[in-house]
Every structure is written in structure tokens, then in C-alpha cells.
Amino acid sequence: MKTLIRQATVVLPHETVQTSVLIDGHQIADIDPAPQISVDETIDAPGLHLIPGVVDDQVHFREPGLTQKEDLASASRACAKGGVTTFLEMPNTIPHAITQERLEAKLALAATKSLVNYGFYIGATPNNLDELKSAHRTPGIKIFIGSSTGDLLVDEQEALERIFAETTLPITAHCEDEATVQANRERLAGTHDVANHSKIRDHQAALIATRRAIDLACRHQHRFHVLHVSTGAETELFADARPWITAEVCPHHLFFNVDDYQRLGTLIQMNPSLKHREDNAVLWEALLDGRVQVIATDHAPHTWEEKQQPYPQSPSGLPAVENSLALLLNEVHRGRCTLEQVVHWMCDAPARVWDLVGKGRIAVGYDADLVLVDLERTQEVRNERQVTKCGWSPWHGVRLTGWPVRTWVMGHTVFNDGRFDTSQPGSEAQFDHSLGGYWADQA
Ligand code: DOR
């Protein structure tokens, strides 16, 4: 099947131009092909922008074990709607993905259920080192240095040293210092005020754990990606670019802060917690100056009923994959950043960080994971329109300008102006860790 996307404004790796893109099978076959080319389908796209599909390297899709919140079918539909064509999923499903066998069970589930491309991290525990050393078909190792949802935690220095010393896969971590969080929790015991979540999981908790993880990564010269940076202070740790360390922020840490608890309550309770308005500003600066390279969602749905429980019974996490691209396109509309920067943060950079083969760029020979976006379209986020199983969004009622209108996964249209085509599943993402990661590619 050959498809010609005609005359969109296309974000290519080094320029943005109005041109045509030819898809042949699952690949991008040509850019600006000869006009007489014969194709099966032509899509006229003047006035629209064509970008690479978003690679979201931090999601919790809850299958197996927690499918009352989400599952791979509902989550991947949300991805298709949101312009996310590849997701990398975290190991805190039930049972935890901490062995090769469990990784492969997840891959087998996704092969029939996921509408978009997929990959799954292997989770670290204090005693699964052999599994971590031999793991394959995975982007890398996830460590919870600080507990979050579930009970995956590696806090002992000796266990952390061994993981950084003896494994070869890239490592990524949730960084919140367990001792600091516990001490704050005791101090604020009995509170039902969700605003105290940010005092329990405070600035220090994030800063101490991120500093500790960077120290490990530096001493062992181990490739390391810091997940969901939430404080301005942490970004200073990335000021000396080290060619094996990268970092990311999430939309909620860019757009929400403690002032929003009054309006949104436990819906915006997440780990790491929200910080202050000044942190929002520094996180933006860090993205713009390159200290932070990636935007990912940490999509972590819980049901509405679960979220309505009083703090601290209310679980941490919120859904975001179907709105993350629109949230950033809205910032393009507002003039805070360019479309090319959004493509870098959400598509190209995460593909480089995780050595994804054929992803993140519009280039000949790359996979035809593509999104047509309408930068002029204004639409309101509504709970009742969410396709995530949990059925709510913390951005309910927010009007955004700039939306994905059509999404291709491996050359196949999965979402087109409100309609899904679920006839063809996505593919297992391929990782080639000899590519050397983000900085190897920037050199
Ligand atoms: O808020 C969060 N929720 N942060 C995490 O790290 C985990 C996630 C979840 O799985 O619910």
C-alpha cells in the first residue's frame, strides 16, 4: 500500500518545508517524490503540519493486574488519538515486570491489544540482578529510588551500586528520597489536606535522590535517564552535560503547581509531587536551553472513584497521553516554543535516548509513524470525550489550540478525525543499544 501525503508543512530533521511524503508499506519511502508517482491513496494536506509520531517513554498502562484503571487496548487508543505512536511502559503492573518471562508476557499481550508501537522496561528489585543483566527486548532498567505506586523500591546503596556497576542496559529512575519522604510523612501524620502531598514529597526529597542517582551514574559511567524532574533545583545538576545522562519533564510539572490543589484536589496528586510556580518557570527554561531533553507524560490513570478518596488514601497519578501533544502545540500557538522544539522534546529526543530504531524523525527509511496536526484547531478537553479507561482528565475544561487530526502507525492510519481503525496492531519497538543514546547522536 502506497500513500501520498501531499503538501503538508513537514517537520524534517533540519528544516520545515511544505512538501509531500510517500509512505510505502510501513516505511517512509520518499520525501518530495516525483509528481507522476502512482499511489493507492492521496491525502491533500495543505494547511496542516506533518510531524513524527510522539514517543512517550514513561507510561503506566496497568495491564496485567490493574485493568480496572486502564488496559493496553484503551491506553493505546488514547495514544493514537493524542498522536503518540510509540510508548515505553513501566514495570509496576501486577505482577511486576521484573523477569524476562514477565516482559515477554507483556510483549505478547501488546502484540494483540496495542494499536500503537510498544516497549516495556524491566523493573529492578534488591535481588533480581541476574535478570537485569540478561534482559533483552527492552529499552532498559527502571529503578524506583523512592517508592511510588506499587512496592518496587531499591533504596539500599549496595544494591544500587551493583545495578549500576554490573548491568549494561540503560537505566532510568524515579528519584524521591525515601528517608526524607518518610520523615515528612511522620511529621504531617493525620493530614487529609492534599496540599501536604507537596510537603511530604518535597523539594529536598527530589533533589537528594536525583543527586544520588547522578552520582551513581557518573562513578559507574552508566547511561542514565532521570524521569519526571519536578524541581528547578534538580535542573542545575544537569548543567554540566555529561554524555551519558539525560533528563525529562512531564506536562503536569510544566503546567500545574501547588496553587492548583485548591481547584483540582487529589486529581493532581502525583509522584513526584507538584512544586511551585517558580519551578514551572525553571523547568521551561531547562527545556529551552537543553539541560532537559525529553517531555514524557508519566500517564498513570486511576479510576475517578479511587481519586475521590480522601488524602492520603487517594492514589497518585493522572492520565495524559491523549492531551500531551495538544498541550505543547498550544504553547506553540502561545509563542512559548516552536513546533520544531516540540518535535525534538517529544519525538526525536526520546527515540535517541532509548536507541529506538527507525523512530522519531521524518526521513527516508524511517518507520511511517506520523501525525498530521492542525495548528489552528481549538478544542476543549472534556472528561466525557476521553478514551482512557479512567474517563477523566485534569485538563477538563481547558481550551487548547493545536490538535492531532490523523495518526499513522507503521504506515497504517489508526486515528482519523475522531475515528479509530483498530484492524491492525502496532509493532514491538526495536532497540539497538550500540547506537549509544542521545548524546552519541548529537555529537
Ligand atoms: O504519580 C505516580 N503514579 N507516580 C509514579 O511514579 C507511579 C504512578 C502510578 O503508577 O500510579
Side-chain angles (χ1 to χ4, degrees):
M1 165 100 176
K2 285 188 181 175
T3 303
L4 185 68
I5 305 170
R6 259 195 73 249
Q7 293 301 314
T9 302
V10 184
V11 180
L12 297 170
H14 301 292
E15 57 176 344
T16 300
V17 283
Q18 188 170 21
T19 187
S20 299
V21 171
L22 176 68
I23 302 173
D24 189 353
H26 72 268
Q27 282 193 329
I28 297 168
D30 205 350
I31 289 161
D32 195 20
Q36 68 275 19
I37 186 131
S38 103
V39 294
D40 304 292
E41 186 189 19
T42 300
I43 292 134
D44 282 312
L48 300 176
H49 285 70
L50 188 70
I51 65 170
V54 170
V55 174
D56 192 333
D57 77 7
Q58 192 191 178
V59 300
H60 302 264
F61 283 174
R62 309 301 194 200
E63 187 165 0
L66 296 162
T67 50
Q68 78 280 10
K69 299 173 195 280
E70 188 77 283
D71 61 47
L72 288 165
S74 57
S76 64
R77 279 161 65 100
C79 284
K81 178 183 165 199
V84 176
T85 53
T86 300
F87 66 80
L88 305 182
E89 209 254 0
M90 289 296 161
N92 60 338
T93 38
I94 309 290
H96 298 326
I98 53 174
T99 63
Q100 187 65 35
E101 201 184 337
R102 289 193 187 154
L103 272 185
E104 288 181 15
K106 276 186 154 185
L107 287 165
L109 271 177
T112 58
K113 297 192 74 174
S114 181
L115 200 50
V116 302
N117 307 312
Y118 48 86
F120 297 95
Y121 295 94
I122 185 160
T125 75
N127 41 34
N128 71 338
L129 191 59
D130 287 340
E131 289 284 347
L132 302 181
K133 282 158 86 168
S134 61
H136 50 279
R137 297 174 72 189
T138 181
I141 297 167
K142 164 71 184 283
I143 314 180
F144 282 87
I145 306 178
S147 55
S148 185
T149 304
D151 52 11
L152 278 175
L153 172 69
V154 186
D155 189 35
E156 294 253 314
Q157 191 65 18
E158 197 189 321
L160 289 169
E161 296 282 353
R162 289 197 68 185
I163 295 169
F164 276 84
E166 295 179 37
T167 64
T168 54
L169 284 170
I171 296 176
T172 189
H174 179 121
C175 299
E176 284 185 293
D177 183 60
E178 194 63 13
T180 306
V181 171
Q182 290 299 355
N184 290 337
R185 192 174 279 141
E186 273 163 38
R187 195 165 48 81
L188 290 161
T191 183
H192 293 293
D193 180 359
V194 66
N196 281 327
H197 192 63
S198 294
K199 295 183 180 152
I200 293 172
R201 293 178 176 268
D202 65 1
H203 285 75
Q204 277 306 312
L207 185 59
I208 291 169
T210 299
R211 192 182 281 133
R212 180 182 183 199
I214 287 181
D215 170 62
L216 280 155
C218 283
R219 280 189 289 103
H220 296 288
Q221 297 205 4
H222 199 119
R223 274 181 56 193
F224 182 59
H225 183 66
V226 185
L227 297 170
H228 44 39
V229 175
S230 63
T231 69
E234 285 164 281
T235 67
E236 287 167 27
L237 303 173
F238 314 128
D240 313 318
R242 274 154 299 218
W244 56 91
I245 295 178
T246 48
E248 81 187 32
V249 293
C250 300
H252 47 258
H253 291 127
L254 292 170
F255 295 114
F256 293 131
N257 58 58
V258 292
D259 301 338
D260 296 303
Y261 280 126
Q262 208 168 9
R263 195 167 50 88
L264 294 165
T266 53
L267 293 183
I268 51 166
Q269 173 194 333
M270 84 286 292
N271 307 332
S273 67
L274 292 174
K275 304 299 189 300
H276 297 157
R277 185 178 294 273
E278 303 79 62
D279 295 288
N280 300 145
V282 179
L283 292 174
W284 270 107
E285 277 167 30
L287 269 176
L288 291 165
D289 70 20
R291 270 173 292 160
V292 170
Q293 297 80 22
V294 171
I295 297 176
T297 60
D298 193 10
H299 177 94
H302 299 282
T303 66
W304 179 261
E305 292 71 30
E306 288 166 339
K307 283 298 246 183
Q308 295 312 307
Q309 295 170 90
Y311 185 79
Q313 282 79 41
S314 45
S316 293
L318 50 75
V321 284
E322 69 196 271
N323 300 307
S324 56
L325 177 59
L327 283 162
L328 270 295
L329 295 179
N330 189 57
E331 295 305 305
V332 174
H333 173 72
R334 294 178 60 216
R336 173 124 65 163
C337 56
T338 66
L339 180 61
E340 290 77 6
Q341 285 169 317
V342 171
V343 166
H344 179 76
W345 300 326
M346 301 187 81
C347 314
D348 192 45
R352 300 314 123 220
V353 167
W354 297 106
D355 302 317
L356 276 158
V357 179
K359 304 291 187 206
R361 291 180 184 169
I362 299 180
V364 173
Y366 271 60
D367 293 334
D369 296 334
L370 298 164
V371 186
L372 262 183
V373 298
D374 183 347
L375 293 181
E376 307 299 324
R377 179 182 289 201
T378 300
Q379 211 169 283
E380 191 175 309
V381 178
R382 303 287 309 170
N383 284 344
E384 59 275 19
R385 288 198 208 121
Q386 302 304 294
V387 303
T388 168
K389 199 188 262 189
C390 72
W392 61 273
S393 166
W395 286 284
H396 173 74
V398 175
R399 283 168 73 79
L400 301 173
T401 300
W403 283 90
V405 294
R406 183 163 178 156
T407 306
W408 287 262
V409 171
M410 300 296 269
H412 179 76
T413 299
V414 291
F415 174 79
N416 186 6
D417 216 5
R419 287 181 306 279
F420 295 93
D421 179 343
T422 56
S423 63
Q424 211 164 293
S427 299
E428 178 179 348
Q430 303 297 313
F431 309 97
D432 178 357
H433 292 307
S434 71
L435 294 173
Y438 179 86
W439 295 105
D441 196 72
Q442 306 301 306

